[in-house]
Amino acid sequence: MIMLKKQICVAALVAAVICMLGIGACKKTENNARTSDNALAFAKAIDSTNLGQFEFLRLYTISDDGYGSGMVFLEDGSLANSENGHIGSVSTLKGKHETLTDSKRLAKHFPDFVKRVHETNDYLITCFETFYLDNAEVFQVEYVINHDFDNPESALYVTRFGESKEPPTIIVKCMGSCIKPTEDCVEVYNFVTNEARCSCQSDNCSMQIEYVK
């Protein structure tokens, strides 16, 4: 189970209009859920629209000094706040959940992936989301590199069950740009078809997929 060091991650918010997951959701949560009471009210409002059919957890960071904050993976698979800030969280879970994906494997893979893709060891996770589906677990990671909070990156981890004794986990990363200036080349997960794709179909927007070992 992915947890905060000294603070259990029992949080987040469902926000996938038309049953799709995209990078903009984390910022919406931070803007609409500054306090615990407001966060819970916001979660209940979303759940009442029947969008809460997917049990969902979100953990995101709020900067105390206005300069940005974030989390990093620890070797044991937990997430720890590494900057001056605190953790915002809210939940739509209706029962206890145990994450079946190997969190230690993600903790080992993600820093290495950042190093290979962005050629830096400097990363901060600003939002970590988990969707518990019937046959899969989907994790969206929103992060920044080199403390560039104005240009967030994202990636999707997907673990599918029923395919083998050890469910495979893949990472999906879309890179490049879209033809329309109003669109971003980011990962989108369709909960109806259980498929991941890039938000736009363009020669300048390419998808990278690899197995997490």
Side-chain angles (χ1 to χ4, degrees):
M1 182 74 177
I2 294 177
M3 295 185 297
L4 280 177
K5 189 178 183 181
K6 299 182 181 179
Q7 181 175 353
I8 299 176
C9 170
V10 284
L13 176 65
V14 91
V17 180
I18 67 170
C19 302
M20 290 202 179
L21 170 65
I23 191 173
C26 291
K27 296 179 182 296
K28 183 175 182 181
T29 303
E30 182 175 343
N31 292 336
N32 289 277
R34 292 292 183 177
T35 68
S36 177
D37 290 342
N38 287 342
L40 291 174
F42 190 47
K44 290 178 180 178
I46 285 181
D47 190 55
S48 67
T49 64
N50 295 322
L51 293 177
Q53 60 183 305
F54 304 109
E55 295 198 81
F56 173 73
L57 294 147
R58 173 178 292 153
L59 182 68
Y60 62 98
T61 59
I62 301 174
S63 174
D64 290 335
D65 56 14
Y67 291 102
S69 63
M71 303 169 285
V72 295
F73 274 116
L74 302 181
E75 290 184 1
D76 64 0
S78 63
L79 285 168
N81 195 23
S82 69
E83 298 285 349
N84 181 28
H86 61 280
I87 306 301
S89 61
V90 69
S91 175
T92 60
L93 294 184
K94 299 176 177 63
K96 185 177 179 180
H97 272 271
E98 178 181 357
T99 303
L100 301 179
T101 301
D102 188 342
S103 57
K104 290 184 179 180
R105 186 182 299 174
L106 297 190
K108 179 180 179 181
H109 178 269
F110 187 72
D112 177 67
F113 182 79
V114 170
K115 176 66 175 179
R116 287 185 284 111
V117 172
H118 301 289
E119 299 181 344
T120 181
N121 292 315
D122 185 352
Y123 80 90
L124 287 173
I125 296 173
T126 55
C127 186
F128 191 91
E129 304 176 311
T130 304
F131 279 87
Y132 295 99
L133 310 181
D134 291 338
N135 59 350
E137 290 175 348
V138 179
F139 307 87
Q140 183 191 32
V141 187
E142 183 177 308
Y143 63 100
V144 297
I145 56 174
N146 300 323
H147 284 65
D148 186 3
F149 290 94
D150 292 329
N151 295 288
E153 298 281 343
S154 67
L156 283 181
Y157 282 102
V158 181
T159 302
R160 296 187 184 278
F161 305 123
E163 297 181 4
S164 64
K165 292 183 178 180
E166 294 187 7
T169 299
I170 63 170
I171 188 171
V172 180
K173 173 68 176 174
C174 294
M175 302 184 67
S177 60
C178 300
I179 295 176
K180 295 181 180 180
T182 56
E183 295 180 342
D184 294 320
C185 178
V186 295
E187 309 77 27
V188 175
Y189 194 86
N190 189 316
F191 294 112
V192 176
T193 62
N194 285 324
E195 295 176 336
R197 64 174 179 82
C198 293
S199 57
C200 68
Q201 303 299 317
S202 167
D203 291 339
N204 296 323
C205 180
S206 60
M207 178 185 289
Q208 179 178 344
I209 299 176
E210 66 179 51
Y211 280 92
V212 178
K213 299 180 180 180

